[in-house]
Amino acid sequence: MVAVGLLVLLLSGMARPAASLKPNLNVSQEELILGSCAVEVMLATLSNPRCSVILVKDHHPTLDTLPRRLPFGVSVFEVRGDRQDANALHERTSSMVSEARKVGRASWCLTVVAASSDVAFLTTFARRASRSRLLRPAARLLLLTHSSLVNNSDFSSVFSKMNALTLVLEHNSNHHLQCGAYIQLPYSTPDAQAVKVALWTPQRGLALTSRLPLFPHKFFRFSSRPNLVVVTESFPTHEAVMVDDPAAPGGKRLAFNSPIANVLQLLAHTTNFTYTFVKPPDGVWGFQLEDGSWSGMLGMVSREEVDIGLGPFGIGATRAEVVDFTSPVGVYYGRIMGRRGRPEVDPWNFIFPLRPVVWTATLATLLVLPLILSLLSVCTAIRSPGRWFDDTFNFISIFLQQNIWVRRMWWWERVVVLVWMLATVVLTQSYSGNLMALLAVKHVSQPVQRLRDIVHDPSTTLMIENGSIKALYILPRPDASQVIIALHNTNRVEYIPTWDILRSIDTLVRRGHHYLIFEDVLVSAAMARDFSLTGRCDFYVAREDFMPLPFCLVCPRGHSLVPVLSERIGRIQEAGLYNHWMESLNPNFTACTNLPTKVLIKSSLSFANLWGVFLIQACGLALSLLVLCLELLCRQAAPVGSGSPATV
């Protein structure tokens, strides 16, 4: 028989927000048996000395009878007050949970023991503890309560989805008191009974009564094959279809054909559940409203109206406060999608064979070479001054491949001219070869490559999926970048619903003045879909990527299904199934990826290819005509006899 002693074990981590606990020496036999049973359960399931125990009660004396031989840190919290006042109960429970959470954060592993016969207190505490992450899926909850609550519908609906074990007093066939350990199976029918997994008696101690262990993995594989509600919405790689189902209302039910739907189907098969799809009424992923509530799919998950949010959803700090994320199915970058221009001839291609630096160096050399000759002549003092203009004209003539008139030249002059001739040969041959190649090239216009390019072009508009994680980062917050603030200040940001993305791509983006921010894999899928329909690649993806985020499924906060789904999603990722399904979604998935921005043409050159050259020639002729007119005017205005003397 378990030795029973009095416990008021308050270690340094103990907190008592209510009145201090006092030893109760007049414990009843029922309290003694229930407390001893709780000790046996904790000793049987907790072997790590770094585990902690949090004791929570409301005027329940059972916790005062726990023996001193618990080898764990123990903290005791008590909630007192009027049980009839629901608001006061919520307030006191929230305050107690906040204090208990400080202990839970510092714990290696945690077991929470709650003792009460009030179903309102127990359910309120469980919901608050789950939302505040005091009761993580790995934490264990031990409930000491009255036997009438074991099969209570409200009690079962809350604790069936937690890693909870219920201890109650009952009588055996000999009318002796004993302690029974029960679990509530998740997603059971309303009339389903709790499963008895263990029995404790003072004579025999703790013994299992079924094949299930204490605190079994209830969510690893369901025994009753429940039907879960899954919320999702259509997007380019996740299109909705209506399939025949005689059991559904109207003979039709909603279904999806997509890689993420394949993931859900595999999870349902391995976890043994069925599912029903629903769509959010507002058609958005979800964002926080002014009153603190959430809209869209995230709102339905946070309010526990559905069991799973399929998404996949990008992880965000504000989202993590209301839902729990599974392991990511993928990590994606935000990319800008725009209309790809048609191949066009650039009439200024004759400038591009040489880079601007080469053109600048060439013109500078034409000015420096005559100066070098002048300096050398000054040093030798054997050359007549005033020939700087003639030398400049000769070097320009060489560059233009024209002959020059060479007078008597010294050896240093010949060396300078020879070096310039060699440099001119290399430049002209390189220019000629590249020019012939560039004249046969058409350029594809892709003006927007960065988010900043949209800001600089006032005729463009940025489109973002409403309620998505990208929309949260594009909002004009005080800490937002100047680019985001500038876009909102000019009213060039539009938020579109999820179901309207494909139509917006086909209409607004195709016109060329709207650009869409989307995940890179979804951009590729949308481009592949358009290529399959039209046979053309009418869109392109900008070079800049931003906001790399993991995308996951979501469940209500504190749901024990999260670690089970996370483990299996991790295996799916390791096997490469999700990426394989994504690439197999469309046979043209990579048809419009990494398209060239220059297109080679095999046709004779037209005026469209060379009108820039003729324009330069026309400008030169106009300039020469202007200089000629100025010379004639200056010659007529000069006084008689001011000309040069005649040569005899």
Side-chain angles (χ1 to χ4, degrees):
M1 181 176 179
V2 179
V4 179
L6 179 67
L7 171 66
V8 185
L9 183 59
L10 303 178
L11 301 179
S12 58
M14 179 184 293
R16 292 187 296 177
S20 61
L21 299 174
K22 297 181 179 180
N24 184 6
L25 299 178
N26 299 321
V27 295
S28 63
Q29 183 183 6
E30 292 84 357
E31 296 163 358
L32 186 64
I33 292 176
L34 194 58
S36 301
C37 179
V39 171
E40 286 292 316
V41 170
M42 285 187 284
L43 292 177
T45 56
L46 298 179
S47 58
N48 194 323
R50 287 182 289 183
C51 290
S52 299
V53 177
I54 294 179
L55 310 179
V56 179
K57 68 171 186 174
D58 65 336
H59 304 296
H60 203 286
T62 302
L63 296 185
D64 297 341
T65 67
L66 296 182
R68 290 189 178 89
R69 60 190 186 90
L70 280 176
F72 314 108
V74 179
S75 300
V76 179
F77 296 86
E78 183 175 357
V79 177
R80 294 182 178 180
D82 185 12
R83 301 184 185 181
Q84 303 300 324
D85 190 349
N87 294 331
L89 178 62
H90 280 75
E91 183 178 353
R92 290 192 299 269
T93 304
S94 299
S95 177
M96 181 268 293
V97 169
S98 299
E99 295 296 327
R101 189 165 179 257
K102 299 177 182 178
V103 180
R105 288 177 177 176
S107 302
W108 179 265
C109 59
L110 181 66
T111 295
V112 179
V113 183
S116 176
S117 57
D118 185 6
V119 65
F121 167 74
L122 291 176
T123 55
T124 300
F125 163 73
R127 290 192 177 98
R128 296 287 179 178
S130 178
R131 290 185 176 275
S132 66
R133 298 193 185 277
L134 171 63
L135 289 177
R136 300 183 294 270
R140 294 172 174 176
L141 177 60
L142 188 62
L143 301 169
L144 281 63
T145 186
H146 195 269
S147 58
S148 62
L149 298 183
V150 172
N151 294 313
N152 182 280
S153 59
D154 295 335
F155 184 89
S156 299
S157 63
V158 174
F159 294 102
S160 64
K161 299 178 182 179
M162 297 181 179
N163 189 20
L165 182 67
T166 304
L167 302 181
V168 298
L169 287 175
E170 54 190 17
H171 293 83
N172 59 15
S173 58
N174 298 325
H175 301 286
H176 294 160
L177 286 175
Q178 62 184 15
C179 175
Y182 293 86
I183 62 169
Q184 284 77 24
L185 295 179
Y187 302 108
S188 300
T189 58
D191 57 345
Q193 301 294 310
V195 178
K196 189 174 184 178
V197 295
L199 178 67
W200 185 90
T201 60
Q203 296 78 16
R204 298 181 180 180
L206 186 67
L208 296 178
T209 59
S210 69
R211 295 180 298 175
L212 298 176
L214 297 172
F215 297 104
H217 297 289
K218 298 186 294 184
F219 288 84
F220 185 79
R221 185 171 176 83
F222 297 121
S223 58
S224 58
R225 193 172 176 80
N227 183 72
L228 306 187
V229 182
V230 180
V231 62
T232 186
E233 184 55 89
S234 302
F235 52 89
T237 59
H238 185 64
E239 297 185 6
V241 294
M242 299 301 295
V243 298
D244 296 330
D245 187 357
K252 297 282 186 179
R253 65 177 176 86
L254 179 65
F256 289 85
N257 293 325
S258 66
I260 192 65
N262 293 342
V263 172
L264 178 63
Q265 184 177 2
L266 188 56
L267 293 175
H269 176 72
T270 55
T271 315
N272 193 32
F273 67 85
T274 60
Y275 51 88
T276 301
F277 285 116
V278 296
K279 286 188 174 184
D282 51 6
V284 299
W285 296 87
F287 54 88
Q288 193 171 18
L289 303 176
E290 295 181 356
D291 59 357
S293 62
W294 283 74
S295 64
M297 292 182 277
L298 287 174
M300 298 178 68
V301 176
S302 65
R303 294 187 297 269
E304 300 186 11
E305 298 174 3
V306 297
D307 300 295
I308 300 175
L310 187 58
F313 297 85
I315 295 179
T318 56
R319 291 180 170 186
E321 296 177 358
V322 295
V323 296
D324 280 347
F325 292 89
T326 65
S327 294
V329 296
V331 178
Y332 303 119
Y333 290 78
R335 303 293 290 270
I336 299 176
M337 178 182 181
R339 187 192 68 176
R340 188 170 183 264
R342 303 300 181 189
E344 298 176 354
V345 175
D346 192 343
W348 303 103
N349 273 339
F350 67 93
I351 300 177
F352 297 147
L354 301 179
R355 290 183 176 273
V357 177
V358 179
W359 286 110
T360 303
T362 302
L363 296 177
T365 304
L366 289 173
L367 299 177
V368 171
L369 289 178
L371 181 61
I372 293 176
L373 291 180
S374 299
L375 292 176
L376 291 176
S377 63
V378 171
C379 294
T380 57
I382 58 176
R383 185 175 183 229
S384 60
R387 292 183 53 187
W388 184 86
F389 181 80
D390 294 338
D391 292 337
T392 303
F393 185 79
N394 287 335
F395 286 126
I396 294 176
S397 299
I398 294 174
F399 180 72
L400 298 177
Q401 297 183 352
Q402 297 179 355
N403 56 344
I404 61 173
W405 178 259
V406 179
R407 300 179 182 178
R408 181 180 179 184
M409 302 178 66
W410 297 92
W411 62 271
W412 66 81
E413 294 178 302
R414 295 179 181 274
V415 170
V416 173
V417 172
L418 178 62
V419 172
W420 177 239
M421 286 182 174
L422 292 175
T424 300
V425 170
V426 175
L427 285 173
T428 53
Q429 292 299 320
S430 301
Y431 178 84
S432 301
N434 290 337
L435 178 62
M436 294 301 297
L438 288 175
L439 290 178
V441 169
K442 288 186 177 181
H443 293 264
V444 179
S445 175
Q446 298 180 2
V448 173
Q449 295 295 338
R450 302 177 303 167
L451 194 60
R452 191 176 300 274
D453 296 336
I454 300 179
V455 178
H456 294 163
D457 187 355
S459 64
T460 59
T461 301
L462 181 65
M463 297 192 305
I464 307 171
E465 188 179 6
N466 191 19
S468 64
I469 190 67
K470 301 176 292 299
L472 298 179
Y473 285 97
I474 298 296
L475 290 176
R477 306 181 307 274
D479 58 340
S481 65
Q482 296 298 324
V483 175
I484 303 304
I485 295 176
L487 283 173
H488 280 275
N489 289 340
T490 55
N491 296 322
R492 290 191 288 122
V493 178
E494 293 183 6
Y495 297 94
I496 58 176
T498 303
W499 51 265
D500 197 36
I501 290 177
L502 291 177
R503 188 198 64 83
S504 299
I505 292 175
D506 291 337
T507 56
L508 298 178
V509 178
R510 194 181 297 275
R511 294 172 186 170
H513 296 292
H514 286 72
Y515 292 85
L516 175 67
I517 289 185
F518 220 20
E519 284 78 28
D520 48 4
V521 65
L522 299 181
V523 169
S524 299
M527 294 169 59
R529 170 184 173 276
D530 182 73
F531 180 82
S532 300
L533 296 175
T534 63
R536 304 187 308 270
C537 292
D538 293 337
F539 304 98
Y540 75 98
V541 183
R543 290 191 297 267
E544 183 184 35
D545 52 27
F546 44 88
M547 291 189 298
L549 290 172
F551 286 79
C552 320
L553 279 67
V554 297
C555 291
R557 198 171 172 112
H559 204 296
S560 298
L561 189 59
V562 173
V564 177
L565 298 182
S566 297
E567 178 186 359
R568 287 166 180 163
I569 290 175
R571 295 179 181 178
I572 293 174
Q573 279 293 92
E574 292 174 359
L577 289 177
Y578 185 74
N579 294 333
H580 171 71
W581 289 331
M582 187 64 70
E583 294 176 0
S584 303
L585 183 66
N586 193 307
N588 301 314
F589 193 79
T590 59
C592 297
T593 304
N594 299 324
L595 292 174
T597 58
K598 297 179 181 179
V599 180
L600 180 65
I601 57 175
K602 297 181 180 180
S603 61
S604 58
L605 299 180
S606 62
F607 182 75
N609 301 80
L610 302 173
W611 68 265
V613 177
F614 291 111
L615 179 62
I616 295 295
Q617 182 182 10
C619 293
L621 293 176
L623 181 61
S624 62
L625 181 60
L626 177 61
V627 173
L628 175 61
C629 294
L630 292 175
E631 288 182 350
L632 294 177
L633 291 175
C634 293
R635 186 179 183 89
Q636 292 178 0
V640 179
S642 61
S644 301
T647 302
V648 179

